[in-house]
Amino acid sequence: LVQLVESGGGSVQAGGSLRLSCAASRMLHCMGWFRKAVEKEREGVAVMNADDWQNAAASVKGRFTISRDNVNNILYLEMNNLKPEDSAMYSCAAMDIARFSGTCILDPDRYNTWGQGTQVTVSS
């Protein structure tokens, strides 16, 4: 069992920044951040694997940076130049698959371990 707990969300003005943290009981190979806006499907924001391979949604490239601290078991999402359309519930997730060591997909349906989420609200 892997437990994930997010923190760092809040309300900011457009153009502002937030850093989200996901404290994990242990780190898995594929981990990432996903978001669910009102009346929208959950979408992948950014994912990375244990070898630091990364992928991010086109809508956040150049603004968001994912990173992981494998010593302290924390997954981060640094969000800069936030836009109102970034407003969503942000969740971290992990792909709990034994002996998997490849690249990671942005599809949230491929992840099976989830945190409870942290709300991000960006005002214009």
Side-chain angles (χ1 to χ4, degrees):
L1 177 65
V2 176
Q3 295 180 329
L4 306 172
V5 181
E6 303 95 332
S7 62
S11 298
V12 298
Q13 295 180 352
S17 299
L18 286 172
R19 181 185 291 268
L20 307 183
S21 298
C22 174
S25 58
R26 65 183 177 95
M27 303 296 273
L28 297 178
H29 184 70
C30 285
M31 301 184 70
W33 290 93
F34 304 81
R35 65 188 182 187
K36 173 72 171 68
V38 175
E39 298 184 349
K40 292 183 65 177
E41 295 292 314
R42 176 179 282 162
E43 64 176 343
V45 177
V47 297
M48 68 182 302
N49 69 14
D51 301 313
D52 287 340
W53 180 92
Q54 301 181 7
N55 191 24
S59 60
V60 307
K61 285 183 178 178
R63 299 189 298 121
F64 292 9
T65 302
I66 188 171
S67 62
R68 56 195 283 165
D69 181 345
N70 290 315
V71 175
N72 295 301
N73 291 353
I74 304 173
L75 183 74
Y76 295 102
L77 183 68
E78 181 180 356
M79 305 184 294
N80 298 314
N81 191 24
L82 283 161
K83 304 175 180 180
E85 51 263 43
D86 294 318
S87 296
M89 179 71 72
Y90 284 72
S91 299
C92 66
M95 188 182 299
D96 191 2
I97 299 177
R99 294 177 292 278
F100 180 73
S101 61
T103 56
C104 306
I105 195 169
L106 276 168
D107 183 1
D109 290 340
R110 304 298 179 88
Y111 293 76
N112 54 12
T113 303
W114 292 84
Q116 83 288 350
T118 184
Q119 181 68 41
V120 172
T121 303
V122 184
S123 59
S124 60

